[in-house]
Amino acid sequence: MDAGAARQLWKGYHQQVCNALDANPNLSDSERSGFKEPLCKEVYQPLPVSQQKPVDIRAGDILPLRDDGVIYEISLLRRPETTLFGRAYDLSPKRFREDIGSIARTVGVAASRRGKARIEGPLTLVFADLSAVTPERLPVVVSFPVETTGNPSVAGFVVENVASQQVLSVDFDAQRDDVESTWRALYSAALTQGFTPTSRGYVVVHTRGGMRTEYQLVVT
């Protein structure tokens, strides 16, 4: 604390410190409150620019980017070459949120049973043109990465062979983030780091080892 730990940001601070204090059975209530008072009473800020190490996102560093009071931790990743089996939808965002579970099951069953393909990865929402998304309209392909030895073509569904792509990636926290600000942070990161953002993006819903939603913006 004397060295400034209560004022500095690192990846996972809240989970590593504040949540750990809450879960520590060896602390009394008064001890827990005493520790949390200086450590967990505020939103942590990045170090002053003069004290920060230069960030090289191309070398694997995480870029902390602030947007509307929220810090987004952005990484540069490379998506591998992938075959995506999916179905195109054009729904209102409200209906999409309500129906995404049944939609995903429909696509997964079609891929494995009718397309005879093996699902190889997490649910992947493909936005071919992010500029076409509006508050009333959500054009998206709900898909899964698959592996197949034949032709998994099924009427009403689409199969896309996607080359390896470079993406800027950030985890989405539904408790603090909103969709528009998350995409905006990725676009800002692209422009400030010398990349050219495209109109293509992905939302990847990871379920292994816990639920995690990742936003990815394709960049060149």
Side-chain angles (χ1 to χ4, degrees):
M1 288 168 60
D2 291 342
R7 296 182 297 278
Q8 298 178 12
L9 171 79
W10 66 82
K11 185 173 177 63
Y13 182 101
H14 194 81
Q15 288 74 24
Q16 292 175 13
V17 178
C18 305
N19 290 0
L21 287 171
D22 283 333
N24 189 336
N26 297 318
L27 296 176
S28 67
D29 289 344
S30 60
E31 288 174 325
R32 185 176 295 108
S33 297
F35 284 123
K36 290 188 68 175
E37 172 60 25
L39 291 173
C40 302
K41 67 180 180 180
E42 61 183 310
V43 175
Y44 291 91
Q45 311 295 324
L47 284 169
V49 174
S50 60
Q51 298 180 34
Q52 291 181 23
K53 295 180 180 179
V55 173
D56 186 353
I57 196 170
R58 291 171 175 80
D61 291 349
I62 294 173
L63 173 70
L65 190 145
R66 178 182 294 277
D67 185 283
D68 197 22
V70 175
I71 296 174
Y72 295 88
E73 297 177 333
I74 298 174
S75 304
L76 178 66
L77 306 176
R78 179 161 290 279
R79 287 180 56 87
E81 181 179 352
T82 308
T83 299
L84 292 172
F85 180 100
R87 189 169 192 171
Y89 291 87
D90 197 336
L91 306 171
S92 70
K94 180 178 182 297
R95 185 180 171 194
F96 181 80
R97 286 192 298 269
E98 294 171 348
D99 295 347
I100 183 58
S102 60
I103 289 173
R105 285 190 292 273
T106 297
V107 173
V109 169
S112 58
R113 294 184 182 176
R114 296 167 62 188
K116 308 301 181 185
R118 184 170 69 245
I119 294 176
E120 289 289 294
L123 175 65
T124 303
L125 311 181
V126 182
F127 297 91
D129 184 5
L130 285 164
S131 66
V133 176
T134 72
E136 296 78 29
R137 179 172 175 257
L138 189 66
V140 60
V141 178
V142 180
S143 63
F144 287 95
V146 298
E147 181 176 311
T148 178
T149 55
N151 181 4
S153 178
V154 176
F157 294 82
V158 295
V159 178
E160 182 182 15
N161 295 312
V162 185
S164 177
Q165 294 174 314
Q166 191 172 236
V167 298
L168 291 177
S169 168
V170 67
D171 283 352
F172 180 81
D173 183 345
Q175 299 301 314
R176 59 156 213 181
D177 303 339
D178 65 76
V179 172
E180 182 180 356
S181 296
T182 304
W183 287 119
R184 186 170 61 239
L186 289 171
Y187 271 95
S188 296
L191 296 173
T192 59
Q193 297 299 305
F195 297 100
T196 300
T198 71
S199 61
R200 185 178 177 97
Y202 301 92
V203 173
V204 183
V205 183
H206 302 273
T207 55
R208 290 185 179 178
M211 182 70 72
R212 179 171 69 90
T213 303
E214 179 187 4
Y215 279 46
Q216 299 177 347
L217 174 67
V218 179
V219 298
T220 60

